[in-house]
Amino acid sequence: MSYTYEECKATADWLMAQTDIRPRIGIVCGSGLGGLANLLKDQVVFNYRDIPNFPQSTVHGHAGRLVFGTLKGRPCVCMQGRFHLYEGYPIQKITLPIRIFKLLGVDTVILTNAAGGLNQDFKVGDIMIMKDHINMPGFAGNNPLSGPNDERFGTRFPCMSDAYDRELQQLAMEVGQELGYGDFLREGVYCVLSGPSFETIAECRMLHRLGADAVGMSTVHEVIVARHCGMRVFALSLITNQAVMDYDSEEKANHEEVLQTGKQRSEQLERLVSTLVTRIEHNNIYA
């Protein structure tokens, strides 16, 4: 089921009729990272259930609110809670909010997620700047751009070799160093799986050999749609657990651990993102 341009536009128009804020930056909050939205001033808040055509968030740790406001004077819109394949939504529904972002006037999307670390040098609590991705559901034919293409959104065959904006990655690295986060700021490749079951040991080993540094269940579908729409993309993974790679290990991945790490590191992640947002303006990236 694809959403038409007209349906997306009707939702964007409905939102713009209720708020004067015209966001240039869209932020998507991952598991346990919804605190980012609380930093916005002059908030106008919509529950997902009240927004026409909008899906509902069903996961613990995802609030299910769209928050408009300003971050250090920059107009932003923030998704407090996102949607995942494992909730049973069609992939076009998961990515619908990104298209609505575009029609609201957003030109830069910042995505955050909680991920399992595959890179043995990564520690729990590390923040990984995403430089690339491996789209496993895409290999199996599950791509958000499947179906008819509407040229008003973007081209039929969008390029993904530059999916993650290098200038924004560099800027985030500089901001991270300034804030004293050098010890836990990394960069790497994120692999998406559909979930909701966590990965087996054999799967983790395979993904690591394929070049993935972290694994999760979100973000990539949204990135593909954002790039299709011509928006710039920056994404961060909070490494909330170390993937189990050894059959002798007693460790087990669990969602509570994910939320707990989110809580511990979230303040620093929020500071990194909010400082980055103000720098985007100063660097005149919009020009």
Side-chain angles (χ1 to χ4, degrees), residues 153-202:
F153 282 124
T155 179
R156 170 81 280 193
F157 301 109
C159 172
M160 285 295 141
S161 59
D162 60 352
Y164 299 89
D165 192 279
R166 295 205 175 87
E167 205 174 327
L168 292 177
Q169 289 170 48
Q170 189 55 44
L171 193 55
M173 271 296 180
E174 288 165 19
V175 167
Q177 295 298 335
E178 279 170 37
L179 293 171
Y181 296 174
D183 289 350
F184 56 84
L185 200 57
R186 313 263 180 247
E187 57 175 16
V189 176
Y190 176 92
C191 179
V192 64
L193 302 178
S194 61
S197 50
F198 285 108
E199 305 73 38
T200 66
I201 293 170

Side-chain angles (χ1 to χ4, degrees), residues 112-145:
T112 67
N113 63 55
L118 296 167
N119 186 322
Q120 296 304 285
D121 296 332
F122 286 8
K123 294 186 286 296
V124 169
D126 280 355
I127 295 172
M128 182 187 87
I129 294 170
M130 286 169 59
K131 66 176 182 184
D132 206 350
H133 70 233
I134 298 170
N135 178 15
M136 279 294 184
F139 291 174
N142 202 357
N143 188 298
L145 304 181

Side-chain angles (χ1 to χ4, degrees), residues 226-264:
R227 291 302 294 146
H228 180 245
C229 289
M231 293 188 282
R232 307 179 71 194
V233 170
F234 174 77
L236 288 174
S237 294
L238 177 59
I239 305 300
T240 47
N241 58 293
Q242 195 60 34
V244 182
M245 297 282 210
D246 185 358
Y247 287 103
D248 298 327
S249 172
E250 296 296 314
E251 290 288 310
K252 282 190 172 71
N254 67 82
H255 192 57
E256 277 56 50
E257 183 182 22
V258 168
L259 294 179
Q260 192 52 42
T261 306
K263 224 179 253 145
Q264 288 161 357

Side-chain angles (χ1 to χ4, degrees), residues 10 12 15 37 42 97 102 114 128 181 215 244 284:
L15 288 163
D42 310 315
K102 173 67 177 178
M128 182 187 87
Y181 296 174
V215 59
V244 182
N284 212 10

Side-chain angles (χ1 to χ4, degrees), residues 8-272:
C8 295
K9 187 154 178 7
T11 303
D13 289 347
W14 183 88
L15 288 163
M16 287 198 285
Q18 324 260 339
T19 172
D20 295 332
I21 294 165
R22 297 292 177 261
R24 298 290 300 275
I25 295 175
I27 301 170
V28 181
C29 302
S31 294
L33 300 170
L36 268 168
N38 301 332
L39 298 179
L40 298 183
K41 302 273 181 289
D42 310 315
Q43 291 190 7
V44 182
V45 181
F46 302 91
N47 287 314
Y48 290 165
R49 64 175 172 272
D50 300 329
I51 304 172
N53 297 325
F54 227 74
Q56 310 299 305
S57 189
T58 65
V59 186
H60 180 54
H62 287 259
R65 304 179 334 145
L66 194 65
V67 183
F68 287 75
T70 58
L71 193 53
K72 314 253 176 89
R74 303 294 293 150
C76 297
V77 59
C78 195
M79 280 180 74
Q80 231 178 352
R82 60 146 59 91
F83 314 107
H84 310 78
L85 280 174
Y86 61 73
E87 292 173 81
Y89 289 122
I91 199 163
Q92 283 86 1
K93 196 155 193 169
I94 293 167
T95 51
L96 172 75
I98 301 296
R99 289 203 157 143
I100 290 163
F101 276 11
K102 173 67 177 178
L103 296 175
L104 290 171
V106 168
D107 48 32
T108 303
V109 182
I110 297 174
L111 303 115
T112 67
N113 63 55
L118 296 167
N119 186 322
Q120 296 304 285
D121 296 332
F122 286 8
K123 294 186 286 296
V124 169
D126 280 355
I127 295 172
M128 182 187 87
I129 294 170
M130 286 169 59
K131 66 176 182 184
D132 206 350
H133 70 233
I134 298 170
N135 178 15
M136 279 294 184
F139 291 174
N142 202 357
N143 188 298
L145 304 181
S146 295
N149 184 62
D150 191 320
E151 291 285 332
R152 286 173 290 183
F153 282 124
T155 179
R156 170 81 280 193
F157 301 109
C159 172
M160 285 295 141
S161 59
D162 60 352
Y164 299 89
D165 192 279
R166 295 205 175 87
E167 205 174 327
L168 292 177
Q169 289 170 48
Q170 189 55 44
L171 193 55
M173 271 296 180
E174 288 165 19
V175 167
Q177 295 298 335
E178 279 170 37
L179 293 171
Y181 296 174
D183 289 350
F184 56 84
L185 200 57
R186 313 263 180 247
E187 57 175 16
V189 176
Y190 176 92
C191 179
V192 64
L193 302 178
S194 61
S197 50
F198 285 108
E199 305 73 38
T200 66
I201 293 170
E203 285 164 352
C204 287
R205 288 176 168 185
M206 177 193 79
L207 296 176
H208 188 234
R209 285 195 184 122
L210 289 177
D213 297 294
V215 59
M217 303 172 191
S218 70
T219 306
V220 168
H221 322 306
E222 294 148 317
V223 169
I224 290 168
V225 169
R227 291 302 294 146
H228 180 245
C229 289
M231 293 188 282
R232 307 179 71 194
V233 170
F234 174 77
L236 288 174
S237 294
L238 177 59
I239 305 300
T240 47
N241 58 293
Q242 195 60 34
V244 182
M245 297 282 210
D246 185 358
Y247 287 103
D248 298 327
S249 172
E250 296 296 314
E251 290 288 310
K252 282 190 172 71
N254 67 82
H255 192 57
E256 277 56 50
E257 183 182 22
V258 168
L259 294 179
Q260 192 52 42
T261 306
K263 224 179 253 145
Q264 288 161 357
R265 191 61 94 193
S266 59
E267 212 170 284
Q268 284 148 314
L269 196 127
E270 285 161 19
R271 195 171 300 140
L272 181 64

